[in-house]
Amino acid sequence: MEALLETSAPQPVAPPPPLFNFARHLFQLNEARASKLAYIDDHGTMTYGELEARARRCASALRALGVHPEERVLLVMLDTASLPVAFLGALYAGIVPVVANTLLSAADYTYMLTHSHARAVIVSAPLLENVTEALSSIDDDGCQLIVSQPHAATETPLAAPRFETLVDAAAPALKGCASNADDIAFWLYSSGSTGKPKGTVHTHANLYWTAELYGKPVLGIVESDVVFSAAKLFFAYGLGNALTFPLSVGATAILMAERPTADAIFARLVQHRPTVFYGVPTLYANMLVSPNLPARADVAIRVCASAGEALPRDVGERFTAHFGAEILDGIGSTEMLHIFLSNRAGEVEYGTTGRPVPGYEVDLRDEAGRPVPDGEVGDLFIKGPSAALMYWSNREKTRATFLGEWIRSGDKYRRLANGCYVYAGRSDDMLKVSGQYVSPVEVEMVLVAHPAVLEAAVVGVDHGGLVKTRAFVVLKRDFTPSDTLADELKAFVKERLAPHKYPREIMFTDDLPKTATGKIQRFKLRELS
């Protein structure tokens, strides 16, 4: 059997030196850009000079609070310029920032505080209630609460020190921590869709590698760009989009604290005219059906990126037809920190996730660990320099995922003869119907190509011990659910896929359950069955 190991020779990128602190690295890169805008948030701007000064003051403030190198500080912060200050300030001091999802419950924060043994938690004022409840429920009283309230006009009395005031009062740290490239730099928690969230541990060098291997050569980000990410900074995807990549080239990033609705996105696209936009498939689909979609002349987008779920071909083609900008669909993971498989500008093949990013290796294997030939579905394994070290304090899951130099992604793919990869779903989502495997994603891609369908999710339903497929469908605003339309959708799929793959049942719904990253939670749909 022909091996399907896809190896892309790394670009001639020099590794970071052994003594390497990523925050200090960024400050040195941008020494000559002190007056240039680094961030535009909802209430103001911050230059590169201000970012460095405030991050260095943050480093001093955290150390003055008694937080030491290698100890953790939990960041539960909205996307304002204070979040990059806190993240880079912690890195500069050798303290480990743990960037947390802002949409979680008090119970989730209780788990993270206990699991990470955080010595401090910095929380945006609107999120204070859940974090305060979490702190009250843990035994360790050594975790200090700090509240971020960036803009004086919105200040309300606080029961804890204000982050911005602490930063203002501190003297800038003169020297950053003498970190090594492979030292632990920060954590990101996984989504926890299959159990408790996993604390994914990354190094200083990992941030460097994502910028050098994807941000610069694949995305093509340059100093003159203005970037805007709908994905928040607490995601691995968003952290690269709005911090690692723009700051590595001296570009300007737009931050938005509110939820990324289509209208909120449109307002920033028109007002600030970003040239690089990062979204997720659901958002792109919702933008296209909105009556408020801006005209091409009203925006300045030159390139877009997409991750989180497979981008439907129809969505990509319609977006490019309207705006003239390609969407570079790719896949990354919290474990690999950012995108390792991607389309390229000028070579986009909608309906695929493109080819391996140079510097990464991709392998497709069957259930016995053997390589699979082109056209067959296999489990996706990745190798590359941005891989995480481990899951903190979780030996079992670490061993199951980090296999020597390789990482088991949990995704299934098939490779086309031209070298492009096509997403086939998560490993635990695959269905066996009439003795044959069915990829829910493949069926969903066909359904959303129908003019009436906005979104679709396919799950397996037990019928007397036999698995049948059921599709949950969200219709576009001008269409009404009916038995006739359901039959039309079934026929639409039958015409385009093998007969056993069409959904036996169609259920119309107003929306689909999703994670904070926009991924469809099929397990919740299975619970409805």
Side-chain angles (χ1 to χ4, degrees):
M1 183 180 293
E2 181 185 356
L4 256 195
L5 177 64
E6 175 97 359
T7 303
S8 295
Q11 298 285 76
V13 176
L19 195 64
F20 181 78
N21 180 293
F22 187 72
R24 185 160 55 184
H25 166 69
L26 290 182
F27 299 156
Q28 291 170 347
L29 284 178
N30 294 300
E31 282 178 342
R33 300 187 180 100
S35 62
K36 185 180 180 188
L37 289 185
Y39 284 105
I40 302 169
D41 68 13
D42 295 341
H43 298 279
T45 61
M46 183 176 289
T47 66
Y48 273 93
E50 291 167 338
L51 176 62
E52 176 180 350
R54 293 191 67 75
R56 289 172 58 203
R57 289 179 185 274
C58 173
S60 292
L62 291 173
R63 295 296 298 274
L65 290 171
V67 187
H68 301 105
E70 299 187 6
E71 292 182 331
R72 272 76 65 193
V73 55
L74 188 68
L75 307 183
V76 187
M77 303 177 72
L78 299 173
D79 275 24
T80 72
S82 287
L83 178 46
V85 167
F87 183 83
L88 295 175
L91 292 187
Y92 195 69
I95 294 165
V96 179
V98 180
V99 191
N101 189 326
T102 60
L103 305 174
L104 301 179
S105 67
D108 292 317
Y109 296 130
T110 298
Y111 171 78
M112 291 178 179
L113 288 166
T114 304
H115 179 252
S116 68
H117 299 291
R119 309 317 303 151
V121 53
I122 306 174
V123 56
S124 294
L127 310 173
L128 186 55
E129 182 178 355
N130 277 349
V131 172
T132 301
E133 182 181 339
L135 282 169
S136 70
S137 65
I138 64 174
D139 294 332
D140 187 352
D141 60 0
C143 183
Q144 302 175 73
L145 175 64
I146 305 164
V147 181
S148 174
Q149 215 172 32
H151 309 294
T154 63
E155 280 191 31
T156 55
L158 299 173
R162 178 172 172 256
F163 174 69
E164 290 75 19
T165 301
L166 292 175
V167 170
D168 289 340
L174 296 178
K175 293 183 178 180
C177 183
S179 305
N180 290 312
D182 289 336
D183 278 349
I184 293 173
F186 66 102
W187 299 9
L188 295 168
Y189 273 99
S190 69
S191 61
S193 59
T194 58
K196 290 291 186 183
K198 299 181 289 291
T200 311
V201 179
H202 280 285
T203 69
H204 286 269
N206 289 358
L207 292 159
Y208 170 87
W209 283 117
T210 59
E212 297 300 319
L213 297 180
Y214 173 81
K216 295 177 184 179
V218 177
L219 186 62
I221 188 171
V222 294
E223 181 180 5
S224 59
D225 278 317
V226 176
V227 309
F228 177 37
S229 176
K232 301 299 185 181
L233 282 161
F234 61 75
F235 300 128
Y237 179 47
L239 185 67
N241 297 344
L243 190 149
T244 311
F245 302 160
L247 299 189
S248 291
V249 298
T252 299
I254 299 161
L255 298 179
M256 180 179 75
E258 67 181 285
R259 193 167 64 89
T261 62
D263 284 345
I265 297 300
F266 297 154
R268 275 78 178 179
L269 293 180
V270 173
Q271 179 182 358
H272 300 301
R273 297 180 65 82
T275 53
V276 180
F277 176 67
Y278 314 85
V280 295
T282 298
L283 177 60
Y284 285 117
N286 288 336
M287 289 168 64
L288 288 169
V289 298
S290 170
N292 301 322
L293 184 69
R296 181 187 297 196
D298 293 333
V299 304
I301 304 170
R302 68 168 183 81
V303 67
C304 298
S306 181
E309 293 251 281
L311 180 74
R313 179 192 302 272
D314 176 64
V315 172
E317 290 174 346
R318 287 190 293 121
F319 189 93
T320 298
H322 182 83
F323 286 113
E326 293 178 315
I327 301 176
L328 309 185
D329 187 26
I331 184 175
S333 68
T334 306
E335 292 76 11
M336 292 303 293
L337 190 54
H338 213 275
I339 289 172
F340 50 81
L341 189 62
S342 178
N343 279 273
R344 311 288 203 283
E347 303 175 14
V348 169
E349 293 197 36
Y350 287 126
T352 81
T353 317
R355 297 174 173 84
V357 170
Y360 293 90
E361 296 179 27
V362 170
D363 195 15
L364 294 184
R365 305 174 187 174
D366 64 17
E367 294 177 358
R370 298 169 301 205
V372 301
D374 285 354
E376 290 192 12
V377 173
D379 291 304
L380 180 70
F381 289 75
I382 319 104
K383 179 168 69 173
S386 65
L389 295 175
M390 60 180 161
Y391 298 131
W392 186 264
S393 191
N394 196 331
R395 190 180 185 91
E396 180 183 358
K397 290 189 183 295
T398 294
R399 284 179 165 179
T401 301
F402 299 89
L403 308 175
E405 293 183 285
W406 293 92
I407 283 182
R408 186 199 308 272
S409 72
D411 295 294
K412 286 191 177 287
Y413 266 86
R414 58 187 174 90
R415 195 180 78 165
L416 305 179
N418 65 3
C420 286
Y421 286 74
V422 178
Y423 184 59
R426 293 289 296 173
S427 298
D428 54 3
D429 285 334
M430 292 293 286
L431 306 174
K432 204 164 192 179
V433 179
S434 301
Q436 302 176 77
Y437 279 109
V438 175
S439 164
V441 173
E442 184 181 22
V443 182
E444 291 160 9
M445 288 290 191
V446 174
L447 283 168
V448 297
H450 189 280
V453 178
L454 178 61
E455 293 181 289
V458 173
V459 299
V461 180
D462 189 307
H463 280 268
L466 298 176
V467 175
K468 303 293 185 183
T469 48
R470 174 181 292 170
F472 291 83
V473 172
V474 179
L475 296 176
K476 295 177 182 176
R477 66 177 66 234
D478 296 330
F479 293 86
T480 303
S482 68
D483 291 341
T484 300
L485 181 55
D487 290 339
E488 182 181 328
L489 293 176
K490 292 177 185 178
F492 187 79
V493 175
K494 281 183 181 179
E495 292 170 1
R496 289 158 177 80
L497 296 176
H500 70 280
K501 295 183 179 182
Y502 87 93
R504 271 44 173 194
E505 297 178 83
I506 301 285
M507 294 190 67
F508 296 104
T509 182
D510 292 335
D511 54 47
L512 299 174
K514 299 185 181 72
T515 66
T517 57
K519 295 179 181 178
I520 296 170
Q521 294 174 308
R522 291 181 182 82
F523 72 93
K524 289 189 176 181
L525 295 175
R526 285 193 287 268
E527 291 171 358
L528 298 175
S529 302

